[in-house]
Amino acid sequence: MTLSPARVPGTGVRRLTATLYGYSFLDDFVLLYPVYALLFADTGMSLWQISSLFALWSITGVVLEVPSGAWADAVSRRRLLWIGPLLTAVGFGLWVAVPSYWAFAAGFVLWGAGGALGSGALEALVYDELDRLGAADQYARVMGRSRAARLMGTVASIGLAGPVFAHGGYAAVGAASFVACVLTALTATRFPEHRVRPETGGDSWATTLRTGLAEVRKDRAARGALLLIPAVAAVWGALDEYTPLLVREIGFAEATVPYLIMLIWAGVTAGSLLTGPAERLGTRGLAALLAGAALALAVGAAARSLAGIALLSLAFAGFQLAEVLADVRLQHRIDESRRATLTSVASLGTELATVATFGVYALLGTGAAHSTVFAVLAVPYLVTALALARSRAATARP
């Protein structure tokens, strides 16, 4: 029986979203996450060596973020989405097969490269496929659920890492992480891709990048949407790394800290799932969301109590929701042929701003409590909210 035209787009959307949610879950289902720092320490790495490994990871992402995005606009995006997890799998294999500083360093370079290949390519592929199916208006809801699937993958990996590690040590969690990466790559091969790649005449990624940036410079709305992503994503993304220290500083027992962190991430997951209906907020609503989340962050950190942790969860939910909405605004304002490139430029801005936030946190944290630093770092969100409100008012003037 031949399917009616009305049913074909629905079938295509279901295939795309099922693949996306499975890919997102598996991509963050890495049992090494909660124990790899312990692996480094138990191998004899000093604190300086461990810190240098983290820095190498970040630097790899910064260096490769934009070239990989431009590459995704020139070749198959689906191909990059399955190559990336395989690179990460090789890195994890090195960690447990030949644990040493240089193996860890090579693993982080491969992991950073794998992440860079997927950054920009995934958002661009999903948006263009939805657009082809006449369902671009579902992008916010779909990507929100994709973020939630990632968070569930992270939580599941944390929950399973303990018993797997107890049974087989680092070799077991490393093998499980390797398998998860391979499954992620296999899932990526199921992504539909119908984009007709433009004839670039052999243009390099640098040429693609220059063309994309020229497009943004001429379009004020696209430029603002691109800058909004790092303004929303960077600070709370950096603060997430310090939440265990904040929780412990408040006075909760060590054994309680993981459960409170899970409470915070439950809020983040809820924020991801609200992106569909929240897309109607508009610029003024987004400004109000950021301002409210900033106030929840400041008050929650200063409260130094369980109620404060709940407010922190609410704040992170707001920031996660705003981050997805910022991505939606960008995708609606850029051209298909430069979509992955400009998405990667936004991700690069986020990476750089996150590194800067780490530096500010270290500077402030030398003489102040974690709760104070959290409260101070709510200020950039209030500034961003004010800028959004002013831009909306300027647009509304005759």
Side-chain angles (χ1 to χ4, degrees):
M1 182 177 69
T2 304
L3 291 175
S4 66
R7 291 184 59 191
V8 173
T11 302
V13 170
R14 284 193 294 273
R15 177 192 169 187
L16 172 65
T17 55
T19 304
L20 173 64
Y21 301 153
Y23 177 90
S24 299
F25 179 90
L26 290 169
D27 198 34
D28 272 24
F29 186 67
V30 177
L31 272 64
L32 274 168
Y33 277 162
V35 299
Y36 62 68
L38 301 178
L39 170 62
F40 303 156
D42 290 347
T43 305
M45 300 296 102
S46 66
L47 181 59
W48 180 89
Q49 287 175 311
I50 294 173
S51 298
S52 69
L53 290 172
F54 292 153
L56 179 62
W57 190 18
S58 297
I59 291 169
T60 302
V62 168
V63 171
L64 297 180
E65 183 69 55
V66 175
S68 66
W71 192 23
D73 280 330
V75 301
S76 167
R77 293 163 180 167
R78 177 173 57 196
R79 184 186 306 163
L80 300 188
L81 290 174
W82 64 257
I83 290 175
L86 293 182
L87 293 178
T88 305
V90 173
F92 291 159
L94 285 174
W95 284 4
V96 295
V98 284
S100 63
Y101 180 83
W102 296 110
F104 298 149
F108 268 126
V109 169
L110 289 168
W111 193 359
L117 289 179
S119 177
L122 179 64
E123 293 87 348
L125 183 148
V126 172
Y127 188 94
D128 286 342
E129 287 301 313
L130 287 173
D131 190 36
R132 183 185 68 83
L133 294 167
D137 59 334
Q138 297 185 36
Y139 178 80
R141 178 176 59 84
V142 168
M143 291 308 292
R145 291 181 176 180
S146 170
R147 300 284 182 98
R150 285 188 178 277
L151 295 170
M152 288 188 284
T154 300
V155 171
S157 67
I158 293 172
L160 286 174
V164 172
F165 182 79
H167 179 73
Y170 293 118
V173 293
S177 300
F178 181 92
V179 170
C181 290
V182 173
L183 291 176
T184 305
L186 290 174
T187 303
T189 64
R190 299 292 300 163
F191 274 116
E193 186 176 29
H194 298 85
R195 179 177 65 109
V196 178
R197 291 186 291 280
E199 295 295 333
T200 60
D203 287 348
S204 66
W205 68 264
T207 302
T208 304
L209 173 61
R210 284 195 297 270
T211 306
L213 291 178
E215 173 189 326
V216 169
R217 281 196 295 270
K218 292 184 293 185
D219 187 340
R220 182 179 178 181
R223 185 168 64 250
L226 189 149
L227 293 174
L228 181 61
I229 290 180
V232 171
V235 174
W236 86 272
L239 289 179
D240 166 54
E241 302 296 334
Y242 298 99
T243 48
L245 300 176
L246 172 66
V247 172
R248 186 172 63 180
E249 178 189 81
I250 292 173
F252 292 102
E254 295 278 353
T256 309
V257 171
Y259 298 105
L260 295 177
I261 298 301
M262 290 184 70
L263 170 64
I264 293 173
W265 281 101
V268 177
T269 304
S272 297
L273 294 173
L274 290 172
T275 51
E279 191 176 7
R280 306 187 192 98
L281 287 176
T283 300
R284 186 175 298 170
L286 181 57
L289 173 65
L290 283 174
L295 290 175
L297 173 63
V299 174
R304 300 173 61 89
S305 64
L306 182 59
I309 297 298
L311 279 175
L312 194 65
S313 176
L314 181 64
F316 277 23
F319 295 140
Q320 170 72 3
L321 176 56
E323 183 179 338
V324 180
L325 293 178
D327 174 57
V328 172
R329 291 163 69 94
L330 177 64
Q331 300 303 330
H332 284 331
R333 286 166 172 79
I334 55 181
D335 181 73
E336 174 186 349
S337 63
R338 314 296 175 196
R339 191 178 306 283
T341 301
L342 295 179
T343 303
S344 288
V345 170
S347 297
L348 174 62
T350 300
E351 291 283 352
L352 293 174
T354 301
V355 171
T357 304
F358 285 142
V360 172
Y361 197 105
L363 182 64
L364 295 175
T366 56
H370 291 289
S371 56
T372 302
V373 181
F374 268 66
V376 170
L377 288 176
V379 173
Y381 285 112
L382 293 174
V383 173
T384 301
L386 179 61
L388 280 172
R390 291 184 64 182
S391 69
R392 176 66 179 87
T395 304
R397 287 195 200 105

